[in-house]
Each structure stands twice: as structure tokens, then as C-alpha cells.
Amino acid sequence: MAKLFQPTQIGDIALKNHIVMAPLTRNRSPGAIPNDLNVEYYRQRATAGLIITEATAITHQGQGYANVPGLYSKEALDGWKRVTNAVHAEGGKIVVQMWHVGRISHTELQPNGGKPVSSTNRIAKAKTYLVNADGTGAFTDTSEPRALEASEIPGIIEDYRKAARAAIDAGFDGVEIHGANGYLLDQFMRDGVNDRTDEYGGSIENRARFTFQVVEAVTREIGARRTAIRISPVTPSGDSYDSNPQALFTHVVEGLGKYDLAYIHVVEGQTGGERDYRQGDNPSFDYKALRTAYEKAGGKAAWMVNNGYNRDMAIETVENGTADLIAFGKPFISNPDLVERLEKNLPLNTPDQSTFYGGSAKGYVDYPALEKVA
């Protein structure tokens, strides 16, 4: 049996295989509360070695899209307990991706219709998802943000800490800090978005400060071995850009090396797009060098990779030690039994892209598993 399908250990979490369900925003949690559909969706996919939930807001201010879940109300946490219980009952493991979207939001989604917050006052050339009065959904331009005052940042770090504790109390096996795809932490890290002149702007060290402070707070609260982080060094998602991503993310992973984290989740290339996408003043990005820098800094966390992996690539990558875990996104949408299909090298269901965002059971929990198509 290929190593991809064999058990492994990441931090304090034992996994039955090296296959991970990537975080996938599906916009099916009205009121930011996980519901019966969400419970069934995650239960169906519990054969993954690890499930990473859809991005989940740490606070109301952290929300950026309609009908995505949260970690900040009793009702939401009660809903998540039902999800974690269902996944565990099937023998699966699940972590929550903790999210603050920063400027990738809209005033309609913010407390009291306020401006989204960010490292900058500049509006992102990006879209968010809103629900109309008739229940239909549509993508719309993000709203103008306001730059956070330095004095506000400790409060947001505290929000991350509280959310991490709430997640563990709701039964999650761990948390993944979302530091990727042009959301709040990424907005602070990248020089193409961060135009600050205080201790959180300018140098790479300053721009990475917020991320390290969040990691420190979360690991102190729930333990490093149940904490992970996602980064996307070159993706342009959310109108994100950095002039020297290799230097920036080398500094980031070197700083993460001091923590005994469960895993580092690296999106290779453009999220959901070109694997060889490049950004910045240098012509390429060296992911192997990134991992080497992390390990030289003392990092021992599992290395998770993501973006466009197929069966053969996944098997080879784990066998040769380039990465420890492979995250699959879209294939898990249409194949609740993806692990079995990959192991047996069977055909995959084709996803219906029109049902990716919003809606009900159609295109969410009604894809056939093998026993139903045999």
C-alpha cells in the first residue's frame, strides 16, 4: 500500500491516512450557524485523514461572505459540536480553519454596517458574496476598509485566542490559522497591501509581527501540537501581492520553526489556479528551499501541500518525502468517498460548479458514493 494511504501522526493528532480535505467555502450556514446540512456534509467525508473546515470567522468583524459559519456565538458553537461529534463517530479527525477576512468584506456583513478593517485604507480589487432579499446569492465588490490602529491589534489577537479555545471546547482536534489568500494576516505580511509606517509596517520583520503574535497566543491557549497555519506565498487572491515572497515567507517559516506545530499548510502557486504561478521581482519561488529553511530553524511540523494534486502526484510526493500531507479541494466536493476512489484508482464524480456557493442539498450532500454507483 502506498504511504499516502497509511496512518500517520501530526502533532497530537493521529490520522488514518495522509489525505486531507482542504478548506472549502460553501456558503450554507445562514446566521453563521452550522446546521443539519453541514453536519451531513462533513460526516460523509470523514474517511479523509484530516478534514479542515471551511474558513470560519473568529468574530462578526471577521466575516467577509454571506452564510459562512462563525466561532463567536453559542448557537454556532453548538452547531459545530454536532459536526465534530458526527465526524468523530465515523472515525475521522477535524480541525477548524480560523478566519479573519480583513478588507475582503462588505459593510452589509460588518457589525453596525461599519467598514471592514485591514492593514490599509485601500480597497481591494476583489469580490465577496452577498445574499439578496429573495434568497439568491451574488458576488459583489468589496467595501472600502479602514486601517487598524496599532492599539486595536491586541484585541484581535485576543479574538484569535478566544476562538481557538472555543474550537477545542466544541470538539475540534485542532485549529488552522488562516494566514493565506489575501485575508487579514496576509494583508499585514505583504508589502503590496501593507502601507503602514508603524511597528506593523515597512520591514519584513514588522509585517510578519501580527502573524507571530497570533500564533503565540493560540499556541499558549491550546498547545502548539494542536495548532497549524496556512500560507500561500505567491497567490494573488484577494488582491494580494509581495515584491519578494521568497524572503518574506522564508522569514515567516523560520519564525514558525520555534513552535512544535501540527502542520504547515502551503498553497503552491495560485490558489485554485496555476501551480507554477509566480509573483514578485524574482522569476520563481522555491518551495523546497522554503521547507529546508523551516527545518533548519528547528521546525518539525508536518508539511502539507495543496493546489491541483492528482492521485499520481500525491502518491509520489508523499513517497519521496517532498511533503507529508496532500490536501485535496474540489475533488472532495463531488466525491465524499475520495479516499477510497484514490486508493482503488477509480473514476471521480465531476463537480457541479454552479452549486459551489450557496444553495441547499443539491451539489452539497447528494453526490453518489461508490456503493450507490456500483
Side-chain angles (χ1 to χ4, degrees), residues 80-81 98 115 125 129 135 146 150 154 188 224 237 248 253 268 279 301 312 317 328 334 371:
W80 278 127
K81 286 178 184 177
M98 300 197 308
K115 289 185 176 183
K125 297 175 183 176
Y129 184 84
R146 67 172 182 85
F188 271 79
S237 300
L248 169 61
V253 299
E268 297 176 337
Q279 187 178 83
D312 291 343
T317 298
F328 292 86
S334 54
E371 63 269 21

Side-chain angles (χ1 to χ4, degrees), residues 239-312:
D239 194 23
S240 56
Y241 175 84
D242 193 82
S243 62
N244 193 346
Q246 193 82 52
L248 169 61
F249 285 95
T250 296
H251 175 76
V252 169
V253 299
E254 287 174 343
L256 294 173
K258 67 181 259 191
Y259 299 96
D260 187 18
L261 299 176
Y263 65 85
I264 308 289
H265 183 176
V266 182
V267 180
E268 297 176 337
Q270 179 183 9
T271 302
E274 301 173 34
R275 284 182 46 78
D276 61 350
Y277 185 86
R278 297 292 180 257
Q279 187 178 83
D281 298 335
N282 296 319
S284 65
F285 191 92
D286 190 335
Y287 293 98
K288 183 177 180 180
L290 190 71
R291 186 177 188 183
T292 298
Y294 172 68
E295 292 176 343
K296 282 185 177 179
K300 296 180 174 61
W303 197 259
M304 182 189 300
V305 293
N306 184 343
N307 200 22
Y309 278 80
N310 60 29
R311 181 182 187 272
D312 291 343

